Amino acid sequence: MSSSTDPAQAPPTAAAPPELPRRSGVIARRIAGKALPLYLSMFATLFGTAVTAAVLGNTSTVELAAYALVIAVFNPMIMVVHGTLRGSMPFFTENEDSPEALAPVVRDSLWIALFLGLLGGLLILAVPLGARLIGVAEPTVAALGLYPLCMAGYVVLASIKNATTVLLVGLGHTTAVLVLSLTAVALSLVLTPVLVLGPGPFPELGLLGAGISMLGMNVLTLGLNFAVVGRMTVLRGYRIGFGRPRWAGIGRIARVGVPTGSTLLIKSGSLSVLAVVVARIGPEEAAVHQVVVVLLGLSFISFVAVGQATVPFTVRAARARSRPLVVRTVLASYLVSVPVVVVSGTVLWWGAGPVAWLFTDDPYVHAGVVAIVPLLCLVGLFDALQSAPNSGMLGLKDTRPAVYAFAFGYGLLVLVSVPVVELGGLTALWAAYTAATASLVLLQWISFLRISRKAVREGAPEAGAERSG
């Protein structure tokens, strides 16, 4: 990958910016068109992860325990990486009509991805040492083998690849993101069973095979991501690589991205604490809580896709210097996310009984899951409602208030979790979770409206907006 732009091979320096609709219905339809491929991409990734876990379920118990050690570090860390890199999205969108301006921003994002990837890789490599320090049984630590090394390499490559994915989303090429995601999942579905289980003439590598599969999949798809960026975007003909770091540009992106990644870390950390609190009640309650958390993640991920798809529209509205249009893009996202979440929640509520049997054969656990599903649906709805102003602040490049809101909402939830569980059990805890998520809606809307007032001039001419909508 070259570090410079080749003007001789470059196309014209400016491209016509995408049309900016004014009507909420038109904005919502365009958001939906961009969000659907992202949702399918997320679902495909979840499916691939589930298959990998299922394949590893056929390995030894010790290897499964070793796998869980690495995943306990990997999941929150990769979440922070992905969240932080989203901070580059508004910078990509605001330069979408100028490849000369966009190219150095892409390089800044790649440097951040590399820094985050290396940090994450070091944390993964430290898992064996950390496991010994906390007293994990030696057979489990020994079973790790070279798996942490493979996963460390995976994190570095996945971080760089994610920078290109965020670029494609910021430029509106979400269908390309879906194709790339399906390609990665397909490779994983082929490589993982072959390398882990060793059918036919292939050796059975177990946990090491899973690591080689993940690393190999990223080696094969990283180049494909760069090829798509080089052929399908305004950067066609521009060779993008790392080059010399621009610390000012890297700092601008980090100031937006680090708070975004921090909100995900706060949320995942809080849920981990809740899991420990619930485990103090008993194994059945812990099982109920875990199943409900899994159902929440599977049933209500659509709003995440809608939020990411909304950011470019908010950026374009801010460039048009129209606060009403900025707010309208965020409100229009509700026309997409809320109906989907309501339908998902209704289906889950109606089919809670049969769905719960897919996760457990224990009648007590089944009854507990069914009882909490109504609260789960409310959490999903409030999460979708808070996601919209959160994405709006990302589009306006001021994400610090989101960190304060998450720290308050989830921090208070963690503080009251023990007395709440002692007084009302698991149901009371999920009621408190619902209240914490509802507080995020209010706090983030207050922050978004304040930021939007500062970011653009009220009633300014909407240069570049399409008045026909």
Side-chain angles (χ1 to χ4, degrees):
M1 293 178 289
S2 172
S3 62
S4 62
T5 301
D6 187 352
Q9 298 181 14
T13 59
E19 296 176 346
L20 180 61
R22 292 170 52 89
R23 297 177 184 172
S24 297
V26 178
I27 298 172
R29 285 197 297 272
R30 296 192 182 180
I31 290 175
K34 300 299 182 183
L36 180 58
L38 292 179
Y39 170 72
L40 295 176
S41 172
M42 293 175 184
F43 191 81
T45 301
L46 283 175
F47 177 75
T49 302
V51 170
T52 299
V55 170
L56 284 170
N58 291 278
T59 64
S60 70
T61 303
V62 174
E63 285 195 329
L64 279 176
Y67 169 76
L69 280 176
V70 174
I71 293 302
V73 177
F74 172 83
N75 280 343
M77 180 268 303
I78 202 71
M79 196 180 302
V80 171
V81 170
H82 290 175
T84 302
L85 289 174
R86 286 179 198 164
S88 58
M89 191 184 302
F91 296 92
F92 293 152
T93 302
E94 71 182 6
N95 292 293
E96 62 188 345
D97 54 351
S98 173
E100 280 92 352
L102 179 60
V105 178
V106 175
R107 287 193 282 272
D108 296 339
S109 178
L110 288 174
W111 273 110
I112 293 177
L114 180 61
F115 295 149
L116 292 171
L118 291 173
L119 177 60
L122 291 174
L123 290 175
I124 296 294
L125 290 175
V127 167
L129 176 60
R132 287 191 174 94
L133 291 177
I134 63 175
V136 174
E138 185 57 35
T140 301
V141 178
L144 287 169
L146 295 176
Y147 182 65
L149 181 61
C150 293
M151 291 304 289
Y154 166 81
V155 169
V156 175
L157 296 179
S159 299
I160 296 172
K161 191 169 74 170
N162 190 254
T164 64
T165 300
V166 173
L167 171 63
L168 291 171
V169 175
L171 299 182
H173 298 284
T174 56
T175 301
V177 173
L178 173 59
V179 173
L180 291 168
S181 177
L182 292 175
T183 302
V185 171
L187 286 170
S188 180
L189 293 180
V190 172
L191 292 173
T192 301
V194 169
L195 295 174
V196 172
L197 303 178
F202 298 97
E204 182 179 346
L205 299 178
L207 185 59
L208 176 60
I212 294 174
S213 170
M214 298 291 286
L215 181 60
M217 179 268 290
N218 270 280
V219 169
L220 293 172
T221 55
L222 179 60
L224 183 60
N225 274 52
F226 274 95
V228 169
V229 168
R231 290 180 179 273
M232 294 187 59
T233 72
V234 68
L235 294 170
R236 183 170 51 249
Y238 284 75
R239 293 175 293 182
I240 303 300
F242 286 94
R244 180 177 299 177
R246 299 191 317 159
W247 299 112
I250 291 172
R252 281 192 294 269
I253 295 176
R255 280 192 291 273
V256 178
V258 170
T260 302
S262 299
T263 59
L264 299 179
L265 183 60
I266 291 171
K267 182 175 181 178
S268 63
S270 300
L271 293 180
S272 297
V273 173
L274 295 186
V276 173
V277 171
V278 173
R280 296 171 69 244
I281 310 175
E284 292 83 3
E285 287 76 9
V288 171
H289 181 74
Q290 182 59 35
V291 171
V292 174
V293 169
V294 170
L295 288 175
L296 179 65
L298 291 175
S299 303
F300 299 106
I301 62 170
S302 57
F303 69 83
V304 179
V306 174
Q308 291 189 49
T310 303
V311 171
F313 292 90
T314 304
V315 173
R316 292 166 192 146
R319 291 180 68 191
R321 313 303 296 174
S322 170
R323 181 174 181 250
L325 192 55
V326 168
V327 176
R328 197 176 306 148
T329 61
V330 173
L331 290 173
S333 71
Y334 282 153
L335 298 177
V336 183
S337 62
V338 172
V340 175
V341 168
V342 169
V343 170
S344 299
T346 302
V347 171
L348 180 60
W349 198 331
W350 174 75
V355 170
W357 285 123
L358 299 175
F359 293 89
T360 180
D361 58 1
D362 186 321
Y364 181 87
V365 175
H366 178 274
V369 171
V370 172
I372 294 178
V373 160
L375 289 172
L376 181 154
C377 293
L378 283 177
V379 171
L381 177 60
F382 287 133
D383 237 351
L385 293 177
Q386 69 84 19
S387 177
N390 187 298
S391 299
M393 287 187 281
L394 176 57
L396 296 176
K397 298 186 290 187
D398 190 351
T399 53
R400 289 171 298 174
V403 178
Y404 306 146
F406 271 66
F408 173 81
Y410 283 104
L412 189 58
L413 175 61
V414 167
L415 287 175
V416 304
S417 58
V418 173
V420 164
V421 165
E422 291 176 349
L423 289 173
L426 195 55
T427 301
L429 181 64
W430 273 84
Y433 189 1
T434 303
T437 314
S439 72
L440 293 179
V441 181
L442 176 62
L443 292 173
Q444 299 211 96
W445 264 108
I446 292 173
S447 297
F448 168 69
L449 292 175
R450 178 180 58 82
I451 291 169
S452 66
R453 190 176 294 113
K454 290 170 56 179
V456 296
R457 297 192 305 271
E458 184 90 45
E462 299 178 16
E466 184 185 1
R467 303 186 179 276
S468 62

